[in-house]
Amino acid sequence: MHSETIVIMPEGPSIVILREELSQFKGKKVLHVSGNAKIELERMKGKKVLDMRSWGKHFLMSFDDFFIRIHLLMFGSYRVNEEKEAAPRLKLQFKNGEFSFYTCSVKLIEGNVDDVYDWERDTMSDVWDPEKAYKSLVLEKEELICDSLLDQEIFAGVGNIIKNEVLFLTKVQPASLVKDIPMKKLKEIVKTAREYCFDFLRWKRIFELKKHYRVHTKNVCADCGSKIVLMQKMGKRKRRSFFCPHCQVLYTKE
DNA sequence: TATAATGTTTGAAC
DNA sequence: AGTTCAAACATTAT
């Protein structure tokens, strides 16, 4: 029994890693439940975790007639076979070990995950559907592309780092309106979002993610040397956007 | 030490 | 009544 830790940067790929680390408890019976989550904890006691899945930034544990949805939000974390100082929000103990979640959102939802989630919307899923994402994206005419990329209904799992990196890779400025971006470029954004999610996953696994940032938190463009622009609260989501004003195109109505 | 960050939900205000 | 927006939540590194 060894201990594992850490989720920071809880975007979709990090939740895939979380799910993999906890999969050792899939099919196992819950012996003890504790934590300060405001749900009926007892519902899990003595029951088997039938499945563990993820959808975007959601981690899902299925039981007989309900499932638990965990969202790490901004500051959530978890530990396997060890504890932090802080009180766990949810702790599950099994014969073969235990895990705890901290400062996260925990919900108990009646029914089956398949009734709630469209797996084709999850950028990390085997059945992710780029066509579907594209069709939803083009409808968001009046949105800024930086807002649409963070829309979990379209790109479940994409977070702010992925947003900034994808826009850099596709050479689009975050303040471009969706309706002003050519169809071909929108398709490239969809494709690149998916690909970058898997690059993020690969680098995250080997603790090399930050090393590969091209624009996020950077001061100087790696490609042209221009100063990277940081806008603190861009768009309706008010998130940080980093971009190179030289390499990235601002699409406008003209 | 004050600040800010990878995110979402809630409820007030219009 | 529907939309929008700010506040709330809460941890950790810099």
Side-chain angles (χ1 to χ4, degrees), chain A residues 7 10-12 14-26 49 51-63 67-73 78 90 92 94 99-101 104-107 109 113 117 119 122:
Chain A
V7 153
E11 302 190 27
S14 298
I15 307 307
V16 168
I17 293 170
L18 185 164
R19 193 224 313 137
E20 289 174 356
E21 288 182 352
L22 295 191
S23 66
Q24 58 184 295
F25 303 107
K26 199 167 112 177
V49 181
D51 205 0
M52 286 177 167
R53 304 189 65 175
S54 57
W55 182 90
K57 300 165 191 170
H58 299 201
F59 172 62
L60 307 165
M61 287 188 290
S62 294
F63 290 85
F67 64 93
I68 300 293
R69 190 207 83 169
I70 293 177
H71 199 303
L72 298 179
L73 301 172
Y78 67 98
L90 178 65
L92 294 190
F94 304 84
F99 59 81
S100 302
F101 280 93
C104 54
S105 159
V106 178
K107 287 193 172 170
I109 300 168
V113 289
Y117 290 99
W119 306 104
D122 175 12

Side-chain angles (χ1 to χ4, degrees), chain A residues 2-249:
Chain A
H2 72 298
S3 62
E4 298 181 61
T5 10
I6 309 164
V7 153
I8 39 170
M9 305 191 202
E11 302 190 27
S14 298
I15 307 307
V16 168
I17 293 170
L18 185 164
R19 193 224 313 137
E20 289 174 356
E21 288 182 352
L22 295 191
S23 66
Q24 58 184 295
F25 303 107
K26 199 167 112 177
K28 306 294 183 188
K29 196 206 298 185
V30 177
L31 301 183
H32 297 285
V33 196
S34 55
N36 56 23
K38 294 189 180 91
I39 61 166
E40 263 189 279
L41 297 173
E42 318 76 60
R43 289 278 296 273
M44 286 177 267
K45 190 168 179 179
K47 290 180 182 167
K48 278 184 183 174
V49 181
L50 299 179
D51 205 0
M52 286 177 167
R53 304 189 65 175
S54 57
W55 182 90
K57 300 165 191 170
H58 299 201
F59 172 62
L60 307 165
M61 287 188 290
S62 294
F63 290 85
D64 47 7
D65 55 356
F66 67 93
F67 64 93
I68 300 293
R69 190 207 83 169
I70 293 177
H71 199 303
L72 298 179
L73 301 172
M74 199 79 110
F75 311 122
S77 62
Y78 67 98
R79 296 288 186 276
V80 181
N81 296 326
E82 65 175 16
E83 286 227 30
K84 299 212 302 185
E85 287 299 310
R89 183 133 303 156
L90 178 65
K91 177 177 180 178
L92 294 190
Q93 293 169 269
F94 304 84
K95 201 170 172 182
N96 63 332
E98 63 180 48
F99 59 81
S100 302
F101 280 93
Y102 306 87
T103 32
C104 54
S105 159
V106 178
K107 287 193 172 170
L108 187 158
I109 300 168
E110 303 293 343
N112 191 291
V113 289
D114 290 314
D115 302 332
V116 176
Y117 290 99
D118 180 352
W119 306 104
E120 296 180 348
R121 295 291 188 182
D122 175 12
T123 54
M124 299 309 295
S125 168
D126 291 342
V127 296
W128 149 260
D129 185 346
E131 240 349 270
K132 213 163 173 173
Y134 171 77
K135 282 176 184 161
S136 302
L137 180 57
V138 289
L139 295 177
E140 304 229 310
K141 295 184 175 60
E142 302 300 327
E143 299 287 348
L144 301 184
I145 188 63
C146 61
D147 282 326
S148 290
L149 265 170
L150 290 173
D151 187 337
Q152 300 299 295
E153 302 286 317
I154 304 179
F155 298 102
V158 169
N160 207 38
I161 296 172
I162 296 173
K163 173 200 86 180
N164 282 321
E165 294 295 317
V166 167
L167 291 175
F168 180 82
L169 291 170
T170 53
K171 304 189 193 300
V172 177
Q173 282 197 31
S176 303
L177 279 174
V178 171
K179 69 175 179 189
D180 296 331
I181 302 174
M183 173 179 134
K184 200 178 160 190
K185 184 56 80 173
L186 287 178
K187 290 193 168 171
E188 187 191 338
I189 289 171
V190 170
K191 185 166 181 278
T192 305
R194 165 77 168 183
E195 288 169 356
Y196 186 76
C197 279
F198 283 85
D199 286 339
F200 184 121
L201 175 61
R202 195 172 75 249
W203 292 325
K204 182 87 177 147
R205 284 191 204 284
I206 56 176
F207 309 101
E208 271 189 9
L209 178 64
K210 263 189 194 167
K211 196 170 103 178
H212 293 277
Y213 289 170
R214 304 289 303 283
V215 70
H216 190 77
T217 69
K218 294 297 186 183
N219 296 121
V220 175
C221 177
D223 289 350
C224 77
S226 298
K227 186 150 178 48
I228 294 297
V229 174
L230 163 58
M231 291 196 65
Q232 275 298 340
K233 294 180 176 178
M234 187 184 278
K236 68 179 186 186
R237 298 181 199 276
K238 306 240 185 300
R239 304 301 301 277
R240 295 201 295 178
S241 283
F242 294 85
F243 63 95
C244 172
H246 180 254
C247 296
Q248 293 173 255
V249 178

